[in-house]
Amino acid sequence: MREKVVLAYSGGLDTSIIIPWLKENYNCDVIAMIADVGQGDDIDSVVEKAHKTGAAKVIVKDLREEFLRDYVFPALRAGAEYEHKYLLGTSLARPVIAKHQVEVALKENATALAHGCTGKGNDQVRFEHAFQALAPELKIIAPWREWTLKSREDCLDYAEQRGISVTASRTKIHSRDRNIWHLSHEGGELEDPANAPFESTWQLTRSPQEAPDREETVVIGYEAGTPVSVNGQKLDPVSLVELLNEIGGRNAIGRIDLVENRFVGIKSRGCYETPGGTLLLTAHRELEALCLEREVMHYKQLIALKYAEIVYYGLWFTPLREALDAFVEKTQKEVSGTVTLKLYKGNVTIGGRESEFSLYRTDLSSFTMSESYDQKDAEGFIRILGLPARSLARLKQRQRVGTEETAK
């Protein structure tokens, strides 16, 4: 009986040539699993291509809602943002794809899992760590770490020799990864960080020059830290993010140009478009500023940094991520309300924040003094706060006097 291998298949250059490569080198049946995470592909044509390329079976999984509900929104609630900019679009998609790839392998009695990630990137870690956490008994095949192909040009040659049609070309070889949360761009002119991205590189967002000449307002509603409405209309996760992508994209929101530190220790340069995600994260932070107690809010900022690292490093299926989610969930119980954003040519400003759980009190914050706050109490507070500083200052004074007397 021939061995079965489940391949995470996208229909792009790498996975298109992996199917024949696996058959040639492992004498196996390849099951192509296509995960729809909102990449916008014509799924029927991708399925047809997988069959033509030699897949013994093709399985399609619509993971868009699960991806947003169980991966993107938890990261949003955590405030996760890698190295100040990256909203983790690719990083968050890999664990949900890997999870379903494992489920397919177990159901189909496959013995191995395969992916198209290179040996230099982060995705190999994200896929393989998930595989090990969910099904350590399954073998892992990573063609990029085995075959003799060294470049995208080599891959194009391999495809041409076997009559495989691919969308990449020798003159247009950006590497892109798209899902409902974002679109990433690497390669081409972006390999030199001194180069500005071509305007043609961007796909989801207008340039500020092409954006409307008038401001657009959008109101985002949250319940317990999770986005639930846009402009007063309740929406399911997929519809909500698609709508905000459209709104943000036409207003030039969400372009990021980043030199990042990969998990394997290499610096790489990429451009990301996350229009809807940028709006959601901005609004969520403003609502937290209104509803979270100071110490919780400040400590949560530390959690956000760690959460982003965990996601970026591919460590989703770990006890630490689960524990952080438990902490974040507790902080979000009263993060409910609406935030109004004003969008204009790439800029996002705040139009207003409202919540029934708001901790903001006008009787305390107003310049008009009220009975709720006795200014005289501040003197004792500051005296106690400054006690260590006064003690240290007096010690230094005694030491200085002693030194001066010794010098005499």
Side-chain angles (χ1 to χ4, degrees):
M1 186 173 177
R2 284 163 63 91
E3 182 180 20
K4 295 180 183 178
V5 178
V6 178
L7 169 67
Y9 183 79
S10 68
L13 175 59
D14 295 349
T15 56
S16 293
I17 64 174
I18 284 174
I19 291 179
W21 184 89
L22 285 170
K23 294 176 69 176
E24 293 170 13
N25 290 272
Y26 281 87
N27 191 30
C28 62
D29 289 332
V30 179
I31 299 172
M33 193 206 79
I34 301 170
D36 182 0
V37 286
Q39 59 268 42
D41 292 337
D42 180 348
I43 297 298
D44 290 339
S45 65
V46 177
V47 170
E48 181 182 359
K49 183 176 182 179
H51 281 301
K52 285 183 178 179
T53 314
K57 189 173 185 178
V58 181
I59 296 174
V60 178
K61 297 275 190 175
D62 184 350
L63 306 181
R64 292 173 298 166
E65 183 162 346
E66 180 181 349
F67 171 47
L68 292 173
R69 183 190 66 234
D70 297 341
Y71 297 82
V72 171
F73 287 174
L76 172 66
R77 291 191 292 267
E81 188 177 23
Y82 186 69
E83 297 189 340
H84 308 294
K85 291 183 177 181
Y86 176 39
L87 300 191
L88 301 162
T90 297
S91 312
L92 287 163
R94 296 317 186 218
V96 69
I97 296 171
K99 172 192 169 188
H100 283 270
Q101 193 177 350
V102 166
E103 290 177 358
V104 168
L106 297 177
K107 183 177 180 180
E108 297 291 331
N109 294 315
T111 57
L113 301 158
H115 61 76
C117 311
T118 72
K120 294 174 65 177
N122 303 301
D123 277 346
Q124 59 182 334
V125 183
R126 295 164 185 157
F127 272 106
E128 295 182 30
H129 187 277
F131 295 160
Q132 294 176 70
L134 300 175
E137 71 277 13
L138 295 177
K139 183 168 62 176
I140 298 172
I141 302 174
W144 268 104
R145 300 203 297 260
E146 296 184 31
W147 61 25
T148 57
L149 307 177
K150 300 296 183 184
S151 66
R152 294 181 68 77
E153 287 78 10
D154 289 345
C155 293
L156 288 167
D157 289 339
Y158 188 97
E160 288 177 3
Q161 292 164 8
R162 287 156 181 79
I164 299 171
S165 174
V166 294
T167 56
S169 70
R170 298 178 195 278
T171 57
K172 182 185 176 184
I173 55 174
H174 279 110
S175 176
R176 290 189 167 99
D177 179 73
R178 181 174 180 175
N179 58 51
I180 194 171
W181 190 239
H182 92 152
L183 173 60
S184 67
H185 314 269
E186 292 181 335
E189 84 283 2
L190 302 178
E191 291 191 349
D192 185 346
N195 292 335
F198 298 147
E199 191 53 44
S200 59
T201 298
W202 306 105
Q203 305 284 305
L204 297 183
T205 55
R206 292 183 185 179
S207 69
Q209 294 80 7
E210 296 176 340
D213 292 328
R214 60 178 181 173
E215 182 179 78
E216 181 171 358
T217 298
V218 60
V219 181
I220 304 176
Y222 288 83
E223 292 180 2
T226 298
V228 295
S229 68
V230 176
N231 295 331
Q233 181 182 5
K234 289 268 188 176
L235 296 169
D236 64 85
V238 173
S239 299
L240 183 143
V241 172
E242 286 179 340
L243 176 57
L244 288 177
N245 279 337
E246 180 183 337
I247 294 172
R250 67 173 173 249
N251 286 285
I253 306 298
R255 290 186 177 187
I256 293 298
D257 187 337
L258 174 65
V259 175
E260 67 196 66
N261 290 290
R262 288 182 179 175
F263 193 22
V264 295
I266 298 171
K267 284 189 182 291
S268 67
R269 192 271 189 95
C271 287
Y272 300 96
E273 296 178 85
T274 320
T278 300
L279 300 179
L280 285 169
L281 186 66
T282 302
H284 182 260
R285 285 177 174 165
E286 291 301 318
L287 197 57
E288 284 191 325
L290 198 63
C291 299
L292 290 187
E293 184 270 338
R294 182 188 68 186
E295 296 303 312
V296 171
M297 182 175 175
H298 288 182
Y299 195 80
K300 186 173 175 291
Q301 291 172 354
L302 303 177
I303 295 298
L305 292 173
K306 190 61 182 178
Y307 202 104
E309 280 191 352
I310 288 172
V311 173
Y312 187 84
Y313 294 166
L315 306 178
W316 182 268
F317 297 105
T318 57
L320 178 55
R321 195 272 307 165
E322 294 175 357
L324 293 182
D325 268 340
F327 170 84
V328 170
E329 183 179 0
K330 177 69 175 177
T331 70
Q332 300 297 292
K333 289 188 179 299
E334 295 180 345
V335 181
S336 299
T338 61
V339 176
T340 301
L341 302 177
K342 295 184 176 183
L343 319 179
Y344 183 70
K345 293 186 177 295
N347 296 299
V348 183
T349 56
I350 310 304
R353 321 151 181 84
E354 293 183 273
S355 173
E356 63 177 307
F357 301 106
S358 172
L359 297 178
Y360 186 93
R361 288 178 53 183
T362 55
D363 62 326
L364 292 176
S365 61
S366 173
F367 283 106
T368 302
M369 302 305 172
S370 68
E371 295 180 358
S372 300
Y373 186 90
D374 189 342
Q375 296 183 72
K376 294 179 181 179
D377 293 340
E379 181 180 357
F381 166 73
I382 297 170
R383 291 287 296 175
I384 293 174
L385 182 67
L387 178 59
R390 293 199 308 276
S391 299
L392 180 60
R394 285 168 178 163
L395 173 62
K396 290 181 177 179
Q397 286 175 344
R398 290 195 298 269
Q399 291 174 335
R400 185 168 59 252
V401 170
T403 301
E404 290 173 354
E405 291 180 349
T406 300
K408 292 179 181 177

